[in-house]
């Protein structure tokens, strides 16, 4: 099993863009929060090993740390790909008196902006997004996003150091959004490490086409790739192929190593724990919204997990990249 | 003794089959009302009756296609239960259905092999089936290519396949439901020879036909059904045509039509050396030339599948003409789309009335405006005008004596005869200049037939030019001024009805061309 | 970009991927072809595939026995086919809509079972690639037939389920055209009245074909979950069942036609993956669109006549005609 | 006569009740599953019913959901009436939504809102119609099976949308923020379809439910009409369209022809109807309704375009179910869309109330569909008995 590095103690303050605030530090195990009811609406499933699972796991962790269901009550709606249904769920949770209602999908935004004014005492959270709706006079929305390109960059550095063939394969879903951020960061990281390296990127055109993702991985391997990465829930298919062909895989979003412990050698983990906790605290302090959060390496929202099996110098290069990004020495150019 | 019990095919004989007190109710119809019927080995027993008398129903019960509401069936004196065709086949009963039971997309051999155990299960043994078919073809004079697809066969050939299917299974008891409807006189003779042979060999045969002379010619006994009841069973030798007709209808009947003399007028329809081909490029019409004048009925005789349907369809604009020209009232209309042919004054009664002529799910009123719904007064702009449509329907129902609960009734609830009357009403109401009537009385009972015939004659008197296509020679003879005989897509001859004989027509129907001079001067 | 890759290697890669991608389509489409040839349109293939994928995976995961897993997938698929047969043959329900119902049920039920029994995406050891090594024949050699250049590389590096899918094509052809059963199936789909009048049980034929179709759809699902991907994830078929139904139409209801359709679709999919991998300057969306576009374009060529079974989607009742 | 009439009415009622009985049957199986999952089925179903129908928000959600279902269903009705199987409503809806978004963004500032709305509705219908006419044409002229081609066209529509949304049509703010989420900018507010509450305000409704002293369900109903909910006037468009489609199919010559072609192409050809032309036309009309649904969803609900499958939301399939439940009748599609919309909304509500996985709802709906189609055999049997016991006069002979 990979050595899971304990999440580094979250850092305070970072030169953040205006109106963007960092998550507050989490102190120790016992969380000091009042009982709260949280509801979350997600486009895929809580077990997708990717986008939705990442935040759901964080919620469960908070619940556990805070003392269980009596303190943190969690309600969820998954597979809410249909925005109309998602909106109904959001309104319903708010009407049911949930204190924090999370809309975990970009596409939920316009619905959320219509619902939020009707529930001025409820906090809402919207991700991935940067807009808290203050421009429209809304004060009870938090926004959050993951700077996926940061971990992407680190994974890229790692991949370039691992690759012997000089070819790396990337299995993307749809060429947009979070996935594209990650992949662009990945390509930048790989190129920065080895300008001659070839990074082949292919998209399946769908978030859930596991079979095509698997074949994309196969194709990359046939094209000479000896390190693979990819994003969205479809990648479980690609990881299966990587496992079969014994090609190392670099993950993102959720920890995919249980699926192939020897193959998933590094992961950019989205750790929403601190962000969520900060929202809870703000809410309980009477600040219902208005903050835009970012998961970054610097604030510990993005953490890198490295497997023991990785060569030391590769991990060293990756950690150096991490440090560079955190310190601001490395800036990532994306299209 | 034991040998005596076997048929030449090796099957055991059915010494006797008896149906007792058979009752079959369909919703609203008592199709069989306590029917008693029997047949013995070596006998040909005729079943006779008007359309809808219940003949097919009785036979379908025997074959296991329907379950009777009451009554029993005895085989060799033993009561038996027939739940499905599989059962009846097991008992040695075979049936040639009124409507062919053939799979178009399969070959003749495959159709024959269907449902049979193969000699090398699970593999098909088509070679053996083919050989057997060839044998049967030879023994019984039934020419048919085992490798041909059924869809490629003419109707007469398909009928042969049906017979071969039954012979192949060696049915000890064979039911033939109107097998002669699509055969030429010569083919009928051949079939009868086979049937007589089979009877002699010890088969039991049940034969259904509307043609009285066939019954007199072939059968030993005859049972007449009317309205689902048995009117009587007679030895064929002891009855006359007139007796049978009276038993069938319940009164004396006059089968003659009076065709008053008429003076023909201008040429309304003219075909000039029209040729047409099918999807495979094979010609279905060759150099067909004809004229139909005002106040004239021209009959087209011929065995089914000799180009009559295509002739009707090229005129209606439904089948492309590859060579030659068609004129309607002097105007060339070759290959105009159907809509324009209708516009030009053509009316058409297609032979497959349910398939081509009407919409089962549409109401009577809707069916009556099938071509003309876009015209005044049935519509204004794009909107249908229901007041006029209803008024029109009422008028047609009254004028043409269409029996229907209401004008809103879906067409499928009408009987065949009334559907045909509706189609006739619709076509005539359009005040056509030329009418093509294909098989206008097929499957229609005597009353309705009489009515339709009289309508056609009345329209003739009013100047309509009619091309009457029929496989019923009696009908052609009764109505036509001139008769065209078709064979293999060609015109074999055009003769004056009053100056020809059935023999002459029969020869031409079998493919003998009348000499060309007479063709030219036939008018 | 990848200059070192020879054209030949790319072709080998495309062909190899094409065969793998075609595998689930072949199972599902051949099964569906049987059902349709007998006159039943089963639009629920997608749902059956998902249930097959789940049960195959679950049993393999719990027992470690791939054959048991395959058997489970086939059984569950057959049961769902049987349900479809009951609804569409015995209860004469409209086939299009009952298929959609079956699909929704399969999608929901497989996910529900996944959540309650597994809870998270797990992996199994799937059917291994066969490499046809001489050593397995007891020969003292390290050589494997899969090393044969080109042909071996394309054809001899697959697992047993891939070979099974392709073996199914001639078998299906044989059953359909060379056996008494096949004759009954063809007749029942074309003219059930005629078949019935010769003692062929229309209902039985349809029950068997639809159940068989379900079984093959179940195996199609298993070919994803325990042979190609070796995982189960909710909705992992992602519309492949519907494509399989479409391929039956594409293939004009003939095994070889279905094979051609499945290969065309899969090869173009493999090709578009290569197009992207090679970094050719085509937007990814356009590349993904290729197989769909090409399928439509191919169909527009008039060289084929559709041979749609005349009784397709029409329930049969004796005495109706 | 009296008893016959009574029996007739009773049987008619049975026809209407049968689907409901079937729904109950499916729910009983669902109850067993719920018990196995350790949930109380009574709570669950109570949540389901109250969630969909008991209060103004539930009702609003049901109606909002029923709107695209009805529009898509109407299109399906037209296609199926012409014997064309349109499985491509999904793609047609998506292209309608895309063009609507584009036009609303382009014209939204330049023209008055209602003008833009009308342009968008027409354009959405138009492009949906064109998208469907392609498979229609391929079927009519080249014999390409429409089940196949419409499935393929769906995928093409999805990929084109992704292409446009991550490039030419992406929200500029996304590029600025560097997040590159593939959605368009929010459409100008002026192009929002008015919500019921807006309409009520314009019409000067007397006041809130409380002011009027309403309680119970009437309060909810009143609230549904005048208080802020998501309910938008797209619903009215859909209902008006249902009536128009009814008039169109049964009162116009074009509708007559479409039905004739669907019932019997051969007889239609004999009657001079251009069968291929009407096949294309009915497909195009069918697509136009799906396209209109796309336009209405964007203008009335989402106000921006995002992931195409999240906009089309399976309406292509559920629309088919709605049309068939409605017996392929435009007016039947109205209650059918309400029922189905209610089941979907209520199912979600149940999921939230007792926290069962969402997929249970999907499985349950599948069972409902299976049970309802299976139950039709009884009403069909009775219908055939009914028809044939109507007296038909004997022919004179
Ligand atoms: N499946 C059925 N359902 C309802 N009524 C039926 C059915 N089959 C036959 N009938 C009716 O039963 C009656 C007897 O029909 P049957 O086919 O036995 O007549 P037939 O004597 O064979 O007539 P034809 O000479 O026209 O073949 C008719 O009124 C017919 O309409
Ligand atoms: N297969 C069937 N199913 C249901 N009803 C049928 C069937 N066949 C016939 N009928 C009904 O039986 C009645 C008689 O039909 P049929 O066509 O046999 O009339 P017919 O007795 O031959 O009358 P006509 O002499 O006018 O042709 C009609 O009401 C028809 O709807
Ligand atoms: Mg009749
Ligand atoms: Mg009969």
């Amino acid at each position: 099993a990979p050595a899971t590095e304990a999440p580094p103690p979250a850092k305070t303050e970072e030169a953040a863009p205006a109106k963007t605030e960092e998550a507050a530090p989490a102190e120790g195990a016992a969380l000091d929060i009042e009982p709260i009811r949280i509801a979350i609406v997600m486009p895929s499933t809580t077990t997708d090993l990717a986008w939705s699972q990442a935040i759901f796991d964080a919620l469960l962790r908070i619940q556990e740390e805070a003392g269980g269901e009596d303190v943190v009550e969690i309600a969820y709606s998954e597979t809410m790909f249909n925005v109309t249904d998602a909106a109904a769920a959001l309104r319903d949770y708010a009407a049911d008196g949930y204190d924090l209602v999370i809309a975990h999908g970009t596409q939920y935004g316009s619905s959320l902006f219509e619902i939020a004014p009707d529930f001025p005492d409820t906090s809402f959270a919207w991700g991935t997004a940067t807009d808290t709706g203050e421009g429209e006079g809304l004060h009870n929305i938090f926004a959050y996003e993951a700077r996926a390109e940061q971990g992407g960059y680190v994974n890229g550095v790692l991949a370039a150091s691992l690759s012997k063939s000089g070819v790396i394969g990337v299995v993307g879903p749809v060429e947009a959004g979070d996935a594209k951020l990650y992949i662009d960061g990945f390509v930048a990281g790989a190129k920065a490490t080895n300008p001659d390296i070839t990074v082949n990127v292919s998209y399946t055109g769908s978030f859930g086409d596991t079979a095509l993702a698997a074949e994309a991985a196969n194709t990359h391997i046939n094209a000479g790739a000896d390190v693979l990465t990819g994003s969205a829930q479809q990648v479980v298919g690609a990881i299966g192929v990587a496992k079969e062909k014994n090609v190392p895989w670099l993950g993102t979003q959720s920890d995919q190593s249980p699926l192939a412990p020897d193959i998933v050698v590094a992961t950019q983990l989205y750790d929403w724990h601190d962000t969520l906790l900060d929202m809870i605290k703000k809410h309980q302090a009477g600040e219902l919204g208005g903050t835009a959060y970012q998961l970054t390496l610097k604030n510990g929202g993005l953490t890198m997990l490295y497997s023991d099996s990785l060569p030391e110098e590769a991990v060293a290069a990756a950690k150096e990249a991490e440090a560079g990004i955190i310190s601001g020495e490395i800036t990532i150019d994306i299209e | 003794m034991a040998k005596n019990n076997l048929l030449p095919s090796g099957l055991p004989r059915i010494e006797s089959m008896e149906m007792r007190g058979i009752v079959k109710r369909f919703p609203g119809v008592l199709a069989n009302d306590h029917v008693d019927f029997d047949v013995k080995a070596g006998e040909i027993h005729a079943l006779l009756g008007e359309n809808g008398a219940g003949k097919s129903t009785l036979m379908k019960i025997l074959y296991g296609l329907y379950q009777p509401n009451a009554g029993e069936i005895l085989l060799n004196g033993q009561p038996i239960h027939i739940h499905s065709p599989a059962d009846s086949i097991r008992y040695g009963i075979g049936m040639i259905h009124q409507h062919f039971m053939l799979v178009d997309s399969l070959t003749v051999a495959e159709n024959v092999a269907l449902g049979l155990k193969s000699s090398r299960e699970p593999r098909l043994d088509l070679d053996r089936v083919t050989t057997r078919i060839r044998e049967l073809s030879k023994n019984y004079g039934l020419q048919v290519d085992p490798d041909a697809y059924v869809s490629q066969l003419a109707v007469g050939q398909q009928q042969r396949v049906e017979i071969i299917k039954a012979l192949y299974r060696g049915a000890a008891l064979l039911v033939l439901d109107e097998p002669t409807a699509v055969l030429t006189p010569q083919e009928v003779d051949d079939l009868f020879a086979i049937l007589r042979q089979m009877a002699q060999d010890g088969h039991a045969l049940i034969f259904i036909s509307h043609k009285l002379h066939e019954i007199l010619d072939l059968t030993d006994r005859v049972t007449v059904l009317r309205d689902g009841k048995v009117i009587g069973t007679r030895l064929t030798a002891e009855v006359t045509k007139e007796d049978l007709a009276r038993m069938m209808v319940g009164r004396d009947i006059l089968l003659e039509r009076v065709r008053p003399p008429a003076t023909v007028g201008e040429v309304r329809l003219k075909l000039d050396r029209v040729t047409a081909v099918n999807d495979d490029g094979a010609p279905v019409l060759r150099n067909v030339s004809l004229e139909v004048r005002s106040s004239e009925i021209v009959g087209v005789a011929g065995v089914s599948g000799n180009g009559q349907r295509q002739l009707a369809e090229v005129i209606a604009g439904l089948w492309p003409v590859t060579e030659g020209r068609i004129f309607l009232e002097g105007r060339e209309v070759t290959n105009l789309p159907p809509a324009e042919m209708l516009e030009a004054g053509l009316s058409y009664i297609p032979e497959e009335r349910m398939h081509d002529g009407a919409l089962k799910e549409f109401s009577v009123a809707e069916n009556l405006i099938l071509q003309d719904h876009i015209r005044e007064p049935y519509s204004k702009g794009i909107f249908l005008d229901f007041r006029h449509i209803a008024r029109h329907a009422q008028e047609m129902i009254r004028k043409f004596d269409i029996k229907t609960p209401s004008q809103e009734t879906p067409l499928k609830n009408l009987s065949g005869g009334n559907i045909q009357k509706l189609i006739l009403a619709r076509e005539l109401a359009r005040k056509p200049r030329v009418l093509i009537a294909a098989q206008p009385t097929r499957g229609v009972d005597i009353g309705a037939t009489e009515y339709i015939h009289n309508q056609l004659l009345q329209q003739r008197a009013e100047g309509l030019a009619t091309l009457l296509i029929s496989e019923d020679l009696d009908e052609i003879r009764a109505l036509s001024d001139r008769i065209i005989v078709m064979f293999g897509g060609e015109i074999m001859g055009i003769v004056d009805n009053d100056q020809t004989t059935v023999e002459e027509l029969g020869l031409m129907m079998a493919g003998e061309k009348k000499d060309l001079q007479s063709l030219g001067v036939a008018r | 970009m990848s200059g070192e890759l020879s054209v030949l290697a790319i072709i080998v890669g495309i062909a190899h991927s094409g065969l793998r991608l075609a595998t689930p389509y072949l199972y599902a489409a051949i099964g569906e072809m049987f059902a349709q040839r007998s006159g039943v349109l089963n639009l629920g293939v997608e749902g059956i595939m998902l249930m097959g994928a789940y049960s195959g995976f679950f049993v393999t995961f719990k027992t470690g026995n791939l054959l048991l897993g395959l058997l489970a997938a086939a059984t569950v698929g057959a049961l769902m086919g049987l349900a479809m047969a009951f609804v569409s043959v015995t209860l004469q329900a409209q086939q299009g809509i009952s298929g959609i119902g079956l699909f929704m049920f399969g999608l929901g039920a497989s996910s529900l079972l996944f959540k309650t029994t597994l809870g998270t995406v797990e992996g199994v050891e799937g059917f291994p690639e066969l490499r046809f090594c001489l050593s397995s024949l007891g020969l003292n050699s390290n050589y494997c037939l899969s090393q044969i250049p080109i042909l071996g590389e394309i054809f001899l590096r697959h697992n047993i389920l891939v070979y099974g899918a392709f073996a199914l094509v001639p078998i299906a052809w044989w059953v359909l055209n060379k056996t008494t059963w096949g004759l009954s199936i063809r007749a029942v789909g074309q003219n059930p009245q005629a078949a019935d009048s010769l003692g062929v049980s229309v209902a039985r034929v349809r029950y068997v074909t639809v159940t068989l179709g379900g079984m093959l759809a179940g195996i199609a699902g298993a070919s994803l979950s325990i042979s190609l991907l070796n995982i189960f994830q909710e909705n992992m078929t992602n519309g492949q069942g519907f494509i399989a139904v479409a391929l039956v139409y594409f293939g004009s209801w003939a095994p070889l036609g279905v094979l051609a359709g499945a290969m065309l679709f899969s090869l173009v999919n493999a090709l578009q993956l290569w197009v992207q991998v090679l970094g050719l300057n085509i937007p990814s969306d356009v590349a993904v669109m290729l197989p769909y576009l090409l399928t439509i374009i191919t169909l527009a060529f008039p060289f084929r006549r559709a041979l749609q079974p005349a009784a397709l989607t029409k329930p049969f009742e004796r005495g109706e005609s | 006569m009296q008893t016959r009439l009574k029996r007739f009415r009773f049987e008619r009622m049975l026809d209407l009740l049968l689907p409901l009985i079937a729904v109950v049957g499916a729910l009983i199986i669902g109850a067993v599953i719920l018990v196995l999952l350790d949930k109380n089925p009574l709570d669950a179903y109570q949540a389901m019913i109250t969630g969909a129908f008991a209060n103004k928000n539930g009702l609003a959600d049901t109606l909002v959901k029923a709107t695209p279902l009805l529009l898509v269903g109407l299109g399906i009705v037209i296609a199926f009436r012409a014997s064309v199987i349109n499985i491509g409503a999904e793609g047609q809806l998506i292209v309608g939504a895309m063009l609507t978004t584009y036009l609303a963004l382009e014209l939204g500032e330049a023209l008055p809102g209602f003008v833009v709305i009308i342009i968008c509705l027409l354009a959405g219908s138009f492009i949906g119609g064109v998208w469907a006419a392609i498979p229609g044409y391929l079927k009519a002229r080249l014999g390409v099976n429409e089940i196949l081609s419409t499935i393929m066209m769906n995928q093409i529509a999805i990929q084109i949308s992704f292409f446009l949304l991550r490039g030419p049509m992406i929200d500029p703010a996304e590029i600025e923020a560097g997040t590159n989420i593939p959605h368009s900018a929010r459409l100008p507010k002026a192009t929002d379809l008015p919500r019921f509450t807006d309409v009520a305000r314009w019409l000067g409704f007397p006041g809130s439910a409380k002011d009027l002293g309403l309680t119970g369900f009437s309060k909810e109903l009143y609230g549904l009409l005048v208080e802020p909910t998501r309910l938008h006037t797209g619903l009215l468009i859909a209902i008006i369209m249902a009536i128009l489609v009814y008039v169109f199919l049964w009162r116009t010559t074009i509708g007559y022809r479409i039905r004739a072609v669907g019932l019997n192409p051969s007889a239609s050809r004999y009657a001079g109807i251009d069968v291929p032309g009407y096949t294309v036309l009915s497909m195009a009309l069918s697509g136009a309704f799906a396209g209109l649904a796309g336009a209405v969803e964007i203008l009335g609900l989402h106000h921006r375009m995002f992931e195409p499958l999240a906009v089309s939301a399976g309406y292509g399939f559920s629309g088919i179910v709605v049309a068939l439940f409605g017996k392929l009748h435009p007016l039947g599609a109205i209650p059918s869309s309400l029922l189905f919309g209610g089941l979907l909304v209520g199912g979600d509500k149940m999921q939230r109330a007792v926290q069962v996985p969402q997929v249970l709802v999907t499985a349950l709906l599948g069972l409902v569909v299976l049970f309802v189609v299976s139950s039709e055999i009884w009403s069909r049997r009775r219908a055939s008995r009914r028809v044939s016991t109507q007296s038909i006069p004997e022919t004179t002979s």
Side-chain angles (χ1 to χ4, degrees), chain B residues 51-52 54-57 98-99 177-178 208 210:
Chain B
N51 292 137
K55 308 179 293 289
S56 297
T57 303
Q98 183 173 2
H99 305 286
D177 195 349
E178 301 198 24
I208 300 176
H210 288 285

Side-chain angles (χ1 to χ4, degrees), chain C residues 76-311:
Chain C
V76 168
L79 285 176
M80 287 187 72
L82 195 65
M84 179 69 190
F86 177 69
V87 168
S88 55
V89 179
T90 304
L91 298 181
Q92 301 181 2
Q94 285 190 58
Q95 291 167 11
I97 179 167
S98 53
I100 293 175
L102 198 69
F103 154 60
M104 290 167 70
F105 175 76
L107 171 62
S110 62
S111 304
L112 188 62
L113 286 164
F114 166 77
K115 279 188 185 306
T116 48
T117 60
L118 293 168
T120 177
V121 181
E122 305 267 6
V124 290
E125 286 295 325
F127 283 99
E129 262 182 23
L130 304 178
R131 296 199 163 251
F132 302 95
C133 293
L134 300 184
S135 54
S136 65
L137 293 173
L139 293 177
N140 190 12
S141 158
N142 278 336
Y143 191 73
C144 296
L145 297 185
S146 57
Q147 288 161 252
I148 298 171
I150 307 177
L151 289 184
E153 287 171 332
I154 294 177
F155 294 108
L156 300 179
R157 289 187 297 146
H158 296 283
N159 68 56
I160 185 83
L161 282 191
V162 177
Y163 297 116
F166 285 87
L168 201 55
V169 175
I171 294 175
W173 179 86
W174 181 79
V175 168
L176 210 51
N177 293 300
K178 296 288 163 190
T179 69
T180 48
W181 252 101
L183 181 60
S184 300
I185 293 169
R186 286 182 286 148
V188 163
Q190 197 68 28
N191 188 344
Q193 271 79 22
D196 179 60
S197 79
L198 292 175
V200 175
S201 165
V202 174
R204 207 173 83 198
V205 168
R206 289 186 173 171
Y207 260 89
V208 171
T209 55
V210 178
T211 307
L212 174 76
M215 192 182 95
L216 288 175
I219 295 178
S223 78
L224 288 171
S225 68
I226 57 176
S227 123
L228 294 176
L229 308 179
N230 303 332
I231 49 134
F232 180 83
Q233 193 190 36
E234 296 176 45
N235 193 19
M236 71 187 289
T237 52
N238 200 45
Q240 293 194 17
F242 290 101
I243 303 283
V245 174
L247 288 176
V248 176
Y249 285 87
F250 183 97
S252 291
W253 295 270
L256 281 174
V258 169
L259 174 68
M263 282 317 297
L264 173 80
F265 190 78
S266 305
L267 282 173
V268 179
N269 236 328
L271 173 78
Q272 67 91 0
L273 288 174
W274 272 99
V275 165
Q276 293 193 49
V277 165
L278 294 178
L280 300 185
N281 212 358
I282 296 177
S284 63
D285 332 82
V286 176
V288 170
M289 227 187 291
L290 273 180
Y292 302 97
L293 211 56
L294 212 80
T295 308
I296 296 187
I297 292 171
T298 315
L299 277 175
F301 283 104
F303 57 75
R304 57 184 36 264
R305 289 246 170 80
L307 301 166
Q308 180 159 347

